[in-house]
Amino acid sequence: MNVLPCLAIVVLYRYTVSYPVLEVLSRFPALKVIRTEISPLVVSTRRGHYPPTCTFEDGSFQKLTALTVSGCSHQVSEIIDDKNFPSYIESLTIERLECVEDPSHSPDYAKIVAKVPRVTKFELREIMRGVSSPFASLRPFLSYNLTELRMETCLALTYSTAEIGELVHALPIIEVLSLNPRHAYPVRLFGTFTFNHLQLFARHCPKLTHLGIMLNTSYPCDAPRDGAVPFSVLKELELGVSFWSLKLSDGAASLLAQVLPNNCKLTFELPIFDSPFDPVLSEFLTDFVRNRTVRFLRNFEIRHIDRFFAT
């Protein structure tokens, strides 16, 4: 458009980058990035409809490197099937809504990967009411040479042991990995990742600098037979709402102290309700700090934890 010929970055609310919106944005010749941020609106109940007929003009998105696509399965598929879709982008975010007309329909993610082969940063956000995002949704995108991968769904991720193994082996150069550390509901379901799986990520993802994951903290923590394998360059372990559980497995604090580098930050969110959980977490943190070198304590950062160490 002649009005904003130098417009390079557009930021919209999440789940609003529809086909008609992209059709308008495709007319800005200098556009490089289309991304979204969290909306003040409640989106967990939003649903998509079949898309109107739209097309991108020849020469659209010539400078685009990062793109977010929003809609139900049919909308996402039609957008990426467009003959002028920018297949050369390096960063792709898919925001998938439940389809009103066909709730069970799922996009052909393998076809998307074939159409957009150069992606190194990928994010998948799925709002599917009452349904956990299956590993099958993620598997096609593991063929990318990803340095950044983020997953965000309403329910906790429930991957099998084999699927978790497949995941970590497919990400040898990953640097940023976020596996739904904050699911929307219900808060008492914590998925299948446990403290024991941290060893897999440390061993097979040596370039990780940020790991966001929700752990089932009540699952028994196994002591490594040959000693714990520490993360090489991890700067932050984000556990999200993991500690909203009422139980913490024995040995978890010791294992964390062994696998996290001394300057690594541990971040998480506390429950918003009062419960007998607080003393349990306090004991866990005390044990964790006891297993750390004290001079690095100033780099140990926990959100909203002041009351546990108040004098």
Side-chain angles (χ1 to χ4, degrees):
M1 285 187 173
N2 295 328
V3 180
L4 296 170
C6 297
L7 181 66
I9 299 175
V10 169
V11 182
L12 302 170
Y13 284 139
R14 287 190 178 183
Y15 302 97
T16 61
V17 191
S18 62
Y19 210 154
V21 171
L22 285 173
E23 186 181 32
V24 172
L25 294 178
S26 69
R27 303 168 194 167
F28 292 88
L31 200 57
K32 295 181 179 180
V33 176
I34 301 173
R35 61 181 176 85
T36 60
E37 62 181 21
I38 295 177
S39 168
L41 301 175
V42 177
V43 299
S44 60
T45 57
R46 293 187 61 173
R47 305 175 79 188
H49 294 266
Y50 282 125
T53 301
C54 300
T55 56
F56 301 140
E57 298 178 358
D58 291 340
S60 299
F61 300 121
Q62 290 189 0
K63 296 185 178 181
L64 199 69
T65 60
L67 174 63
T68 297
V69 174
S70 308
C72 68
S73 299
H74 297 282
Q75 291 171 320
V76 170
S77 296
E78 289 210 10
I79 291 171
I80 296 180
D81 281 344
D82 190 297
K83 67 175 183 177
N84 291 313
F85 183 86
S87 60
Y88 42 79
I89 56 174
E90 299 172 357
S91 176
L92 174 63
T93 297
I94 295 177
E95 298 177 331
R96 180 190 170 199
L97 293 165
E98 185 176 294
C99 185
V100 173
E101 293 85 355
D102 188 4
S104 63
H105 182 268
S106 181
D108 187 346
Y109 286 136
K111 187 176 181 180
I112 293 175
V113 171
K115 180 71 178 286
V116 194
R118 303 181 186 177
V119 170
T120 59
K121 297 180 180 180
F122 177 72
E123 181 165 0
L124 179 62
R125 302 172 185 151
E126 292 191 318
I127 293 184
M128 308 298 291
R129 297 181 301 171
V131 180
S132 178
S133 180
F135 187 72
S137 292
L138 178 61
R139 178 179 280 117
F141 301 103
L142 297 180
S143 62
Y144 285 139
N145 292 318
L146 292 174
T147 60
E148 185 172 321
L149 171 62
R150 299 178 185 272
M151 287 283 295
E152 184 175 310
T153 68
C154 288
L155 297 181
L157 298 176
T158 54
Y159 296 162
S160 69
T161 299
E163 289 170 342
I164 294 174
E166 182 179 345
L167 171 67
V168 297
H169 282 89
L171 300 171
I173 62 172
I174 197 74
E175 298 173 7
V176 176
L177 179 60
S178 182
L179 297 170
N180 204 36
R182 300 182 187 89
H183 66 299
Y185 60 87
V187 296
R188 292 302 186 194
L189 297 179
F190 296 93
T192 51
F193 288 103
T194 70
F195 283 107
N196 298 322
H197 291 121
L198 295 179
Q199 289 282 276
L200 287 178
F201 290 106
R203 184 178 295 111
H204 298 288
C205 307
K207 296 187 178 183
L208 263 181
T209 60
H210 175 98
L211 175 60
I213 192 170
M214 179 171 55
L215 302 178
N216 183 343
T217 60
S218 64
Y219 191 85
C221 185
D222 301 328
R225 293 182 178 180
D226 301 320
V229 177
F231 286 95
S232 301
V233 292
L234 194 69
K235 296 180 179 179
E236 180 175 14
L237 175 62
E238 179 189 5
L239 295 182
V241 298
S242 298
F243 294 124
W244 288 36
S245 168
L246 296 178
K247 295 180 63 177
L248 290 171
S249 59
D250 294 336
S254 177
L255 178 62
L256 272 185
Q258 294 178 64
V259 302
L260 297 187
N262 283 326
N263 61 345
C264 180
K265 295 188 295 185
L266 173 65
T267 63
F268 57 86
E269 297 181 6
L270 292 182
I272 57 177
F273 47 84
D274 293 327
S275 72
F277 162 84
D278 283 359
V280 177
L281 179 59
S282 180
E283 182 180 353
F284 170 83
L285 293 173
T286 301
D287 191 19
F288 176 73
V289 172
R290 187 181 299 119
N291 286 278
R292 309 279 293 180
T293 304
V294 176
R295 65 190 177 91
F296 292 104
L297 186 59
R298 65 181 182 275
N299 294 322
F300 177 72
E301 176 183 324
I302 303 176
R303 297 172 186 164
H304 313 307
I305 203 66
D306 296 344
R307 70 176 183 272
F308 288 124
F309 296 104
T311 57

